[in-house]
Amino acid sequence: LTPLITAAAGLTSETHGYFAGGYATSPSPGVLDSILQHPFASDTVATDIADMSETKLGLSGSTDTVYGFLMCGSSGASDRKTVDKYIYGSASTATAIGDMTEPGNTTGGASSLTHGYAFGRYKNASNTKHDYIDKFNFSGSFSSSGSMSLGAAFSVRQGMSGASSATHGYHAGGTDNASAFNGIGRVDFAADG
């Protein structure tokens, strides 16, 4: 990646990997709005091909076969709750399609065939962590389902990772700043359980 980036979101099409937002440590430090593209077929430098609707770091991503979705994050000074929709392979700026229930850094994302999920939330303004799991529809108008509990074994936290199978979304690890966690939890796509 050029520049050096931390706290970006990752997306995957059939042919490319995408890296969105994050914080550039050099050559010009700051929060980014860039969307970088890297082809799976060759070991080349990622190319800056588009922008998000706003600058943000600590965001998460979901994907379907045509679009990438970039959720929440932070500008560094303020928390974001925007969901951007990006058309894979285009040089067009991502479009803001709606908002999650609460702003903040979402650090784990998952995807079913029809919906995106965002796990956890850290709010910079209040220095608080939350157990939100938000869900939104990939097609049609944007809608968020609100919060669902991570359960007693998965208390409020930040810094989680996310993954997807055909039937479930998974969130793993994280921290509440006092402790680090090694648990893996899952959400049933069919039942939102």
Side-chain angles (χ1 to χ4, degrees), residues 92-134:
S92 301
T93 298
T95 304
I97 61 168
D99 292 332
M100 288 297 194
T101 55
E102 295 289 335
N105 296 297
T106 59
T107 52
S111 310
S112 74
L113 294 177
T114 58
H115 291 81
Y117 294 78
F119 303 117
R121 207 72 40 92
Y122 172 74
K123 295 184 180 181
N124 287 319
S126 58
N127 189 29
T128 56
K129 291 148 290 294
H130 300 272
D131 62 354
Y132 305 132
I133 300 178
D134 279 347

Side-chain angles (χ1 to χ4, degrees), residues 24-44:
T25 58
S26 72
S28 299
V31 181
L32 302 173
D33 65 357
S34 305
I35 299 174
L36 306 174
Q37 179 187 60
H38 181 269
F40 292 145
S42 64
D43 294 336
T44 59

Side-chain angles (χ1 to χ4, degrees), residues 9 12 41 61 64-65 106 124 133 148 160 178 180 183:
T12 306
D64 69 7
T65 58
T106 59
N124 287 319
I133 300 178
M148 295 179 282
M160 293 182 293

